[in-house]
Amino acid sequence: MSADTGTRFVRAGSDVSASDPVVARWWLLLGDPELTRLVEAALSGNPSLAAAQARIAQARASIRQDRAGRMPSLGAQATTVQGRLPGLDLQGGAPPPSEQTNSDAETDDSLSFYNVGLNANWELEFAGGSRRRIEASNAQAAATVANAEDAKVQLSAQVASTYVNLREAQFRAEQFEAQISLQEEILALTYQRYQRGALPLFPVGTANAELEVLKSQLAEAEADIAVLSDALAILTGQVPGSADAALTTVRSIPMPPEQVAIGDPASLVARRPDIRAAERSLAASTARIGVAEAARFPKLSFTGILGLGGSSLDDVVDVGEFSALAIPRLQWNFLDFGRVDAAIDQTGAARNEAVANYQQTVLLALQDAERALARFGQQRVALAASMQIKKQADVAADLNRQRFAAGAISKADLNRALREQQQASADLVRAKGALTLAWIALQKSLGLGWQEPVRDQ
């Protein structure tokens, strides 16, 4: 029923540890107080989590209802029966019908009954159908809890990813503003040279086009900042725009720790809430087979009535007119033309579906983790390359500053070198963001971001 998970992840490189991750609040490892505040606010104020908690309350109430169904019920009742049964002689010692008047005969055919008291009902099962129903409810409730914990995993990762994208967009906007300032100087210098006849008009148009592209990229970055800020507000249960003030200050992108613990596939299967939910759904489907099979066997029920009553209203208040009624009932549907067999087949097919869903969930979880590990390793290589490119751009910018100071190059040439340095800085920040995003995806794939619920003592 379960797939062979192996002893280690296939895509795990030398930069990760096989020890089990122990930090449920993985975002603390990024060391960003603002990110921690946002994640905690989302976990306490997100409407989707509130809905998940409501579903848990419904499931637990269903368990209590099923458990109560096994116990006898006791209630108060008042009963009156008025009827006329032709041909029924309710006065056994009365004269023959030929000697009675019409009114007497009518009276003999009438029935009156009054009762006030208690009634009790209790149904006993020989095949444990109620017990299996409670078992199914418990398993389904556990699946609901696991789904709620999985929602926390997804939500914390979504908040962290959105936050990192916001910081990257803010830095991108700053870089574009700096590049625009440099490009405006390049355009002005190019136009001066054109006016002096040192250059044709074409370089002026090219410089102006580059400036317009930078302005367009700046507008795109500013739009990304607005969209991402609103997304964080919604994730934390607030209206759009309410998070702008707290996120105005530009912060650097938080970086993941040097050592990353991932554990092994077996610990992943045991830890991920979505796998737990699928396993509990499978257990619920298995228990429902027992509920369906219990319908093959007889059921014994008891109904009892205790109270005061008789054939007149005065009997209701007469303590001497105590009445008691016990009605045992044995029910066995031994001939149902295959209804029970069809119900058993239906629940069996549902269990087979749950088995397949569980196996698919495990496989997708393993795929998710392996993909996250591969991306994380690739982004580390990309970051190292971006750092080398940034160093080279810094060296080139310093050399060009010296050349400009010596009069070897123009101010426009220096600005172009500085623009390349700014672009290298932007690429480095983008690589840092990509690495952190890959690390966040890895934490989500490992099923981190939730804690075992505290059990009631």
Side-chain angles (χ1 to χ4, degrees):
M1 182 175 63
S2 61
D4 183 9
T5 55
T7 58
R8 65 182 303 273
F9 289 105
V10 178
R11 309 300 174 192
S14 57
D15 50 1
V16 295
S17 170
S19 58
D20 287 337
V22 294
V23 180
R25 299 168 64 193
W26 53 264
W27 50 88
L28 297 177
L29 298 176
L30 293 174
D32 192 312
E34 185 63 23
L35 172 59
T36 299
R37 182 190 69 81
L38 289 170
V39 174
E40 299 293 343
L43 292 176
S44 62
N46 187 272
S48 63
L49 291 187
Q53 293 300 319
R55 287 191 291 271
I56 292 175
Q58 295 177 50
R60 289 174 176 171
S62 178
I63 295 174
R64 295 196 302 271
Q65 186 178 28
D66 289 338
R67 286 176 176 172
R70 300 185 64 186
M71 306 303 293
S73 62
L74 180 65
Q77 56 104 30
T79 304
T80 177
V81 178
Q82 300 291 334
R84 182 173 180 274
L85 304 175
L88 178 64
D89 184 7
L90 299 179
Q91 300 179 3
S98 60
E99 300 180 8
Q100 293 181 327
T101 63
N102 292 336
S103 60
D104 292 337
E106 183 177 350
T107 302
D108 295 340
D109 292 341
S110 300
L111 173 65
S112 297
F113 178 74
Y114 304 92
N115 181 269
V116 174
L118 302 176
N119 67 311
N121 295 278
W122 192 14
E123 182 176 291
L124 299 177
E125 289 184 318
F126 300 106
S130 297
R131 179 177 55 81
R132 297 290 280 173
R133 187 177 294 107
I134 294 173
E135 181 181 340
S137 296
N138 278 321
Q140 196 58 54
T144 305
V145 172
N147 284 327
E149 300 302 338
D150 185 58
K152 293 180 181 179
V153 173
Q154 304 297 324
L155 178 62
S156 59
Q158 188 176 2
V159 171
S161 298
T162 305
Y163 179 81
V164 171
N165 285 325
L166 172 66
R167 295 309 184 192
E168 189 274 331
Q170 289 176 330
F171 185 85
R172 186 161 26 104
E174 285 188 341
Q175 294 300 310
F176 285 138
E177 288 176 350
Q179 291 189 51
I180 287 173
S181 179
L182 294 173
Q183 188 61 28
E184 287 175 342
E185 289 187 9
I186 292 175
L187 176 60
L189 294 171
T190 304
Y191 185 70
Q192 291 175 6
R193 296 184 65 188
Y194 162 74
Q195 286 182 321
R196 292 195 300 265
L199 287 177
L201 184 60
F202 178 74
V204 177
T206 301
N208 185 68
E210 292 180 1
L211 178 60
E212 294 302 321
V213 169
L214 288 173
K215 289 181 178 180
S216 175
Q217 292 174 331
L218 174 60
E220 180 181 1
E222 290 175 342
D224 289 342
I225 293 173
V227 171
L228 292 168
S229 296
D230 288 345
L232 286 173
I234 297 299
L235 289 171
T236 55
Q238 304 178 65
V239 297
S242 58
D244 291 356
L247 298 173
T248 300
T249 303
V250 179
R251 295 176 180 267
S252 59
I253 294 177
M255 297 300 294
E258 290 291 333
Q259 192 70 21
V260 179
I262 61 172
D264 54 30
S267 65
L268 168 68
V269 172
R271 180 174 55 247
R272 275 189 55 142
D274 56 340
I275 297 179
R276 290 188 170 202
E279 189 276 329
R280 288 291 82 199
S281 295
L282 171 57
S285 298
T286 303
R288 292 189 187 104
I289 296 178
V291 176
E293 290 180 340
R296 294 183 183 275
F297 301 92
K299 298 179 181 179
L300 179 62
S301 61
F302 295 92
T303 301
I305 299 176
L306 298 175
L308 300 176
S311 59
S312 67
L313 284 174
D314 295 337
D315 296 332
V316 174
V317 294
D318 186 357
V319 294
E321 297 295 338
F322 180 78
S323 61
L325 180 64
I327 308 174
R329 180 189 179 195
L330 181 64
Q331 182 181 1
W332 188 13
N333 298 327
F334 58 88
L335 181 61
D336 62 357
F337 300 98
R339 291 186 183 90
V340 173
D341 290 338
I344 294 174
D345 291 342
Q346 182 182 20
T347 54
R351 179 186 180 277
N352 293 338
E353 179 186 2
V355 170
N357 288 336
Y358 171 74
Q359 292 175 334
Q360 182 70 1
T361 302
V362 172
L363 292 175
L364 290 177
L366 294 174
Q367 180 191 26
D368 189 16
E370 296 288 1
R371 179 173 56 241
L373 283 168
R375 294 298 185 191
F376 182 65
Q378 181 265 328
Q379 291 300 335
R380 280 196 163 180
V381 174
L383 177 59
S386 295
M387 294 176 67
Q388 290 298 323
I389 294 174
K390 176 63 167 59
K391 289 180 180 179
Q392 295 173 4
D394 291 341
V395 172
D398 290 339
L399 291 176
N400 279 285
R401 287 191 185 94
Q402 297 174 16
R403 295 179 65 190
F404 173 74
I409 60 174
S410 66
K411 185 66 163 56
D413 293 332
L414 173 61
N415 283 3
R416 291 189 182 93
L418 295 178
R419 272 201 60 197
E420 292 178 357
Q421 184 185 29
Q422 293 287 346
Q423 185 60 47
S425 298
D427 291 340
L428 177 59
V429 171
R430 187 176 293 108
K432 289 181 178 179
L435 176 63
T436 303
L437 289 174
W439 182 80
I440 293 171
L442 179 59
Q443 304 309 296
K444 183 179 72 170
S445 70
L446 295 176
L448 302 179
W450 70 284
Q451 294 178 337
E452 287 281 0
V454 179
R455 299 183 181 274
D456 296 335
Q457 299 296 329

